[in-house]
Structures are given as C-alpha cells and as structure tokens.
Amino acid sequence: MIAIRWLISLGLAGLVTLGLFYFMQALIATGGDLEQNTNVVRIVDATMPEIVMEVIREVERPEPIEELNEPPPTPPDRNIDMDGGADLNIARENVDLDIGLDIGAAGLSATDGEMLPLVNIQPQYPTRAAQRGIEGWCQVAFTVTETGGVRDVRVVDAEPRGMFDSASIRAAERFRFQPRVVNGQPVEVPNVQYVFRFELEE
Amino acid sequence: MYFALLDLSDAITDFMNRGGPVLWVIGMLLLVKWSLIFERVWYLHSTHAKKVKQTLAVWAGRSDTRSWRAQQIRNMMVSEISLDLKSTMPIIETLVVVCPLLGLMGTVTGMIEVFYVMALTGGGDAKSMAGGVSKATIPTMAGMVGALSGIFASNWLKSRIDRDLELLEDHMA
C-alpha cells in the first residue's frame, strides 16, 4: 500500500516536473531556431521537384508585307488611237491583298485552364521532419484574390498528417498568381488547389 | 498526438542541452520534492484521516478526560499524530530552499565557462560566449521556477497540517 502510494506520487511528480520544464523552455523560447554549438545535426537540403511551366502560346505575328520596290507600271495610254492599228486595250486585274489577318480576337490572358503561380515560394522543410528523415506531401486549397494574392489557405490532405501543414500554409500565403480576368474585370477564384511535395535529397 | 509528444520531448531535451548539467540535478530535485508533496497530500486524505478517527474514538471511550494524567495522555496522542504528519515536511522545505541555490551554482559554472572562452579567444567573440551565457542563465531560471512552485505547495501543506492538528486538539478537549 505504501509502495503504491509512493509510486503514484512519483508518477504525478514526474508529470509536474516535465510540465515545469516545458513551461521554462516556453518562457525562453525564441521564434527563430538559434544555431547551437551543441550537437548540431547536419540537415540535408530539401528540394522541391521542378514545376514545369506551361508556355502560353504566342499569337502568330503577321508576316510583314513585302514592299513593292518596283514602281507601279505606267498606266497604259488610254487614248485610243483610232488611227493606230494595234489595240492596246489590256484589261488589268485588280490586285486584292487578302492575307486573312484577323487581329481582333487574339489576346494574351491566362484566364482559362489551370492557375499557375507566377511566384512560387519553396516551403521551409520542417527541421523535425528533416532530422527524422520523414518525407511526405501536403495538399492545400486557397482563394486567389483579385490582386493575385492568396488568402484563406487550408490544408485539404496531407501525409503524414500535421507534419508539413504549417510550412505549406506559410509558403502558400506568399504565392502570387495572375488574377483571373472575366470580361475585363479581375475576379476572385476560390478553391485553388496546390500540392507541396517534401522530399529529402539522397 | 504523437507529433505533439515528439515536439515536447524535443523542446525539453533542447532546453536541457542549453542549460548544462546542473539542470539535470535541479530536475531530479524537483521530482523528489513533488513526489514528497504528493505523498503528503495522499497521506493527509487517507492514513491520517483514519488515525484521527481512531484516536478520537479512543479518547471518547475514556471515562476520565479531566485529570492531569488524562491531559498528558492526550498530549501524547496528539504528538504521535503530529510526528507522523510532519515526518517529511523538513525535507520538502529544505528542497525548496536548495533549488535557487543550485540554480546559482549553475550560474557560476556557466560564467566560468564564459571566462574560459574569453581567455581563449581574447574576448569579443560573442557567438562563442553565448553557450556559456545560456548555461549561466538557464539554471538560475530553473532554480527559481522550481523554488516558486515548491513554495506554494509546501506552504499550503504546512498550513493545512497546522490546521488539522489544531482541530484535533480542539476535538479532544
């Protein structure tokens, strides 16, 4: 009975001590990770896979029209010489330059298809994950504002859960997009999805 | 949940590494002190309560409660209970006092490290001194926090024990 009492007291005391120590380290915790001389862990660089940017098709420029260097042929003499024998009455065709250029509907805009970030920020690989060699991915969804900014970032799915969330959210918030234009007005695009892959270099 | 625990252990080991070896001693002391405190609280609520009941029953069963002899017997009963009740209190109080002193010791060893680094590098290199400085300041804080938390608990226990004994004596009048 007495032994049990002491054991339970010891357990509670252990909890209290841990709590106190956690409290203390929280008191002096500084935001940034300070470089310490004690057991520094070499962390391999984390790389993000290259993102292949889709090239937006350039509108074909019309070829410049060749300048006619030859002087226009002198108009034929229209005076009909009743006396002349030869009849120089050659009917000339009207030359119609019809190249089929229609420069009206072509405009550069990335309004259709995928929203691709103009600026994509690489997320910071969480130290914790890097130390343990944990790899994974995190899918976020957010709203692209009229100005091309990002807001309301939330995590849709991740593997492993909770490991890369904050890093991904931080990175996604700093993305910049070309805002979607509808009828000449920029509009918000809700629910744009993006997947961050966290992979360690071998 | 699992990651949260990892975070917690990481944070604490990190803190321990920064604070140097004195922190471990302080941690051990805190562990001992708090187990003593919890044990006392438990004792108050179980064994002590039983003993008081027994003693009161014995006292109520006596026919003679007024004579000098009866008073002496009453004193004996009360002191037996009080001895049992106060058995570990001196240790608890000592540990509370020792905590900040240990912190100071950590400070001194940390400062010695700082001076050693200064002697080696000729001073001026703040970065290399930082380790010693945090080793000097963190144990002080740990000692203070330990002592503070202990003071509250031990004072509460003390007043609680005193009150219980007073009540007992009153009941045995």
Side-chain angles (χ1 to χ4, degrees):
Chain A
M1 178 63 210
I2 287 177
I4 288 173
R5 189 165 80 200
W6 278 107
L7 269 179
I8 291 181
S9 301
L10 192 70
L12 284 172
L15 280 179
V16 169
T17 311
L18 270 182
L20 280 174
F21 269 79
Y22 187 74
F23 167 72
M24 284 191 253
Q25 72 83 27
L27 273 182
I28 59 161
T30 44
D33 294 342
L34 291 170
E35 277 192 0
Q36 290 159 33
N37 303 338
T38 49
N39 56 19
V40 176
V41 182
R42 261 305 278 135
I43 293 173
V44 287
D45 285 339
T47 50
M48 296 279 294
E50 285 291 314
I51 292 169
V52 183
M53 298 290 280
E54 212 174 278
V55 179
I56 295 164
R57 190 176 46 81
E58 278 201 11
V59 176
E60 286 172 20
R61 288 254 178 81
E63 284 175 16
I65 301 161
E66 283 174 27
E67 298 242 338
L68 292 172
N69 288 334
E70 302 160 19
T74 48
D77 208 355
R78 289 283 179 161
N79 293 341
I80 299 167
D81 203 351
M82 301 300 269
D83 304 342
D87 200 86
L88 285 174
N89 219 354
I90 302 167
R92 295 200 53 128
E93 281 291 314
N94 238 356
V95 179
D96 220 342
L97 277 179
D98 185 14
I99 308 182
L101 261 185
D102 185 11
I103 315 180
L108 266 176
S109 68
T111 57
D112 39 7
E114 272 187 278
M115 299 288 287
L116 283 170
L118 297 172
V119 178
N120 72 47
I121 309 291
Q122 294 216 346
Q124 279 239 318
Y125 210 101
T127 321
R128 194 173 64 190
Q131 276 178 354
R132 297 193 170 75
I134 297 173
E135 300 188 335
W137 51 268
C138 177
Q139 184 179 15
V140 293
F142 45 79
T143 305
V144 177
T145 61
E146 294 103 322
T147 53
V150 167
R151 65 178 173 77
D152 300 342
V153 187
R154 63 194 185 280
V155 175
V156 180
D157 196 3
E159 177 68 40
R161 290 212 157 277
M163 180 56 95
F164 299 111
D165 292 13
S166 54
S168 307
I169 289 173
R170 266 202 301 275
E173 274 169 349
R174 293 163 57 201
F175 273 29
R176 280 286 165 275
F177 283 83
Q178 180 135 8
R180 179 165 294 184
V181 180
V182 172
N183 301 335
Q185 288 294 321
V187 293
E188 282 199 346
V189 185
N191 215 8
V192 177
Q193 309 240 338
Y194 193 90
V195 178
F196 291 101
R197 295 198 180 286
F198 290 82
E199 280 157 6
L200 292 164
E201 271 182 357
E202 287 307 318
Chain B
M1 184 62 216
Y2 170 68
F3 286 136
L5 276 180
L6 272 185
D7 260 359
L8 199 134
S9 68
D10 272 8
I12 290 177
T13 46
D14 207 39
F15 179 72
M16 285 298 199
N17 287 337
R18 279 171 72 186
V22 179
L23 270 192
W24 289 103
V25 182
I26 291 175
M28 289 309 294
L29 276 191
L30 276 179
L31 194 66
V32 173
K33 185 172 77 185
W34 279 98
S35 27
L36 286 168
I37 288 169
F38 282 123
E39 190 272 340
R40 272 303 92 179
V41 174
W42 191 310
Y43 181 87
L44 262 173
H45 285 287
S46 59
T47 319
H48 171 69
K50 255 188 257 164
K51 268 190 178 162
V52 167
K53 263 198 197 124
Q54 277 173 9
T55 315
L56 284 177
V58 170
W59 184 252
R62 284 182 66 89
S63 53
D64 163 32
T65 57
R66 310 293 297 164
S67 67
W68 178 84
R69 178 195 292 268
Q71 289 303 311
Q72 292 312 308
I73 286 172
R74 169 172 166 265
N75 281 349
M76 184 194 74
M77 287 173 166
V78 172
S79 4
E80 272 174 358
I81 286 183
S82 122
L83 266 181
D84 277 347
L85 198 50
K86 288 180 175 169
S87 60
T88 56
M89 283 308 286
I91 308 176
I92 294 176
E93 279 164 29
T94 310
L95 287 176
V96 168
V97 175
V98 164
C99 264
L101 294 178
L102 260 177
L104 281 178
M105 197 180 89
T107 304
V108 173
T109 50
M111 286 320 280
I112 288 171
E113 196 172 310
V114 172
F115 293 134
Y116 175 71
V117 169
M118 275 169 90
L120 277 184
T121 61
D125 186 8
K127 215 177 163 106
S128 58
M129 287 194 294
V133 172
S134 68
K135 272 201 178 110
T137 46
I138 289 175
T140 315
M141 188 189 72
M144 293 283 159
V145 170
L148 278 175
S149 65
I151 280 174
F152 282 118
S154 79
N155 277 350
W156 175 81
L157 261 180
K158 221 163 113 181
S159 62
R160 176 72 205 267
I161 285 172
D162 289 347
R163 207 185 62 208
D164 266 31
L165 289 175
E166 289 282 334
L167 278 174
L168 182 68
E169 284 188 29
D170 286 354
H171 281 308
M172 288 166 74

